[in-house]
Amino acid sequence: MDKYKTIEFADDHLILLDQTKLPLEEEYIVSDDYKRIAIAIEKLEVRGAPAIGIVAAYALALALKFNNNSATDTFLKAYNRLKITRPTAVNLFWALERMKKIFEKHSASPDIYTILKSEANKIFAEDELMCDNIAKNGQEIFTKKSIVVTHCNTGRLVSAGGGTALFVIQKAFESGLIEHVYSDETRPLLQGSRLTAFELNKLEIPFSIITDSSAAFVMKNIGADLVITGADRIARNGDTANKIGTYNLAVLAKYHGIPFYIAAPSSTLDNNCITGDDIKIEFREPHEINSIKGVQVTDKSYPVYSPAFDVTPNHLITGIITEDRLFKPPYNF
Ligand code: MRU
């Protein structure tokens, strides 16, 4: 498999694989401007909870690259801009706060750019390691060669390493434990049919894209063995926010007696959220629903309601895999 690079930092520039163009075109965005990087996060050119955090960390460092004025003003301007890009994935805020602490400690240093850059590099390296350990810890959920259903995208495209849920699947496949993967297309932005399919294809894992509404059919008629997805924010009681449609899948899994797992790094756990009710859900623009790739599919004037994430209650989650271990209910993070 050629290893496409989701996020790379080279020659003091951030290089991002433009995920809005995949799988039809592999194009890269090269920038050293935090404002352009903030737009890349908003437009989902880079996406997925861990990736958003990593990229925001580099963007904050880059804000100080040409710092001619007050470092504090420049830093805070960039910090405040990045903070309003997307509200649900907590990894963004986790990374921004971590960078802010480093900035506050070293703000007077003439090397502040280098110091921030090295913290962003650390976040990148830690994420890569977390992915390895999530994949390792996730292997205990496989008791036989399995048919798996997944939602949204959770592979190399969301992280500095192999990913979360999809990396668990990849490692299981390498041990001969995957029969087939059903990838929900994940309306409206098609992270499943565009991105997960792109990754499964590169990994040569047998898969089929299904419409989101086919999951019950697959569970009843084909008999999935397990469902595994990623997460954007996990509350202390295990309630989990993930891409819209994840909750549907968890309800269906429960009905069909199929185990439902979440895989995520500890940077996705939010101590400030006691339950899922505390998680802020992002709502997206109507054009993402009423048109596809710029082609109008319904009347522009029709009202649209578009939550980008939903919260799966803890009692529907069989286990949560992190880099530490596989957690079973009752969850108490
Ligand atoms: O809107 P997106 O594409 O950023 O949503 C991504 C997801 O919901 C992923 O499942 C989640 O971030 C987990 S990725 C490890």
Side-chain angles (χ1 to χ4, degrees):
M1 180 193 64
D2 58 321
K3 279 199 177 168
Y4 43 94
K5 285 192 173 147
T6 305
I7 306 163
E8 197 183 358
F9 193 77
D11 298 329
D12 292 303
H13 284 74
L14 196 53
I15 306 163
L16 303 173
L17 177 54
D18 183 348
Q19 300 194 28
T20 61
K21 304 249 167 72
L22 289 175
L24 306 179
E25 291 158 62
E26 282 184 45
E27 269 181 29
Y28 289 83
I29 297 156
V30 182
S31 180
D32 62 355
D33 175 4
Y34 79 84
K35 292 180 198 140
R36 174 65 186 93
I37 298 164
I39 290 169
I41 296 173
E42 284 168 345
K43 287 170 72 178
L44 273 66
E45 287 167 331
V46 60
R47 46 150 297 282
I52 295 172
I54 296 163
V55 163
Y58 279 118
L60 270 184
L62 285 168
L64 274 289
K65 182 174 158 184
F66 306 107
N67 178 47
N68 301 320
N69 309 312
S70 152
T72 302
D73 286 354
T74 308
F75 182 88
L76 287 179
K77 214 168 147 196
Y79 169 89
N80 289 328
R81 172 67 185 94
L82 290 157
K83 215 173 165 175
I84 55 164
T85 49
R86 297 193 73 191
T88 303
V90 75
N91 310 58
L92 171 72
F93 307 98
W94 170 85
L96 291 177
E97 292 318 310
R98 184 165 156 175
M99 295 296 284
K100 192 161 179 248
K101 273 200 192 117
I102 297 292
F103 176 78
E104 282 163 354
K105 203 165 153 198
H106 302 279
S107 59
S109 165
D111 281 337
I112 186 64
Y113 169 55
T114 313
I115 293 167
L116 290 176
K117 202 167 56 169
S118 98
E119 190 65 15
N121 283 335
K122 259 195 222 162
I123 290 175
F124 184 100
E126 285 170 23
D127 185 72
E128 196 171 8
L129 191 63
M130 284 195 278
C131 292
D132 290 345
N133 288 323
I134 290 167
K136 197 165 97 204
N137 294 338
Q139 297 313 298
E140 70 177 277
I141 69 174
F142 295 90
T143 51
K144 63 175 173 97
K145 195 162 184 173
S146 300
I147 296 173
V148 181
V149 178
T150 191
H151 192 69
C152 199
N153 170 258
T154 57
R156 291 192 74 76
L157 291 171
V158 299
S159 68
T164 59
L166 198 58
F167 202 23
V168 172
I169 294 170
Q170 179 188 336
K171 287 290 161 204
F173 174 70
E174 288 166 6
S175 310
L177 288 168
I178 297 293
E179 190 175 324
H180 203 85
V181 177
Y182 288 90
S183 169
D184 273 359
E185 71 172 345
T186 317
R187 278 282 290 145
L189 296 180
L190 308 175
Q191 288 92 334
S193 60
R194 295 188 303 106
L195 309 176
T196 300
F198 169 81
E199 301 208 84
L200 287 166
N201 187 54
K202 292 242 185 223
L203 293 164
E204 297 179 17
I205 299 174
F207 74 97
S208 304
I209 299 165
I210 56 172
T211 59
D212 299 341
S213 42
S214 300
F217 183 96
V218 167
M219 288 176 183
K220 180 164 183 284
N221 298 298
I222 293 173
D225 296 299
L226 53 95
V227 177
I228 175 164
T229 77
D232 286 84
R233 196 185 291 231
I234 302 173
R236 291 175 73 167
N237 71 346
D239 290 350
T240 295
N242 191 50
K243 180 52 56 194
I244 192 74
T246 304
Y247 178 27
N248 303 33
L249 212 50
V251 171
L252 293 176
K254 184 77 164 186
Y255 181 81
H256 291 92
I258 298 166
F260 178 92
Y261 292 97
I262 295 287
S266 55
S267 51
T268 306
L269 301 171
D270 187 355
N271 269 334
N272 297 317
C273 290
I274 311 293
T275 74
D277 292 342
D278 302 323
I279 300 176
K280 187 164 182 345
I281 298 295
E282 175 182 12
F283 283 78
R284 304 280 305 175
E285 293 294 321
H287 71 84
E288 292 180 353
I289 302 277
N290 63 30
S291 67
I292 298 178
K293 291 229 161 253
V295 177
Q296 206 66 38
V297 291
T298 187
D299 195 293
K300 246 189 196 165
S301 69
Y302 296 166
V304 164
Y305 182 72
S306 182
F309 299 94
D310 56 27
V311 175
T312 300
N314 56 15
H315 63 92
L316 297 179
I317 303 172
T318 314
I320 298 179
I321 306 153
T322 76
E323 73 275 15
D324 295 326
R325 65 184 173 89
L326 167 64
F327 290 87
K328 295 279 191 141
Y331 304 107
N332 186 16
F333 293 112

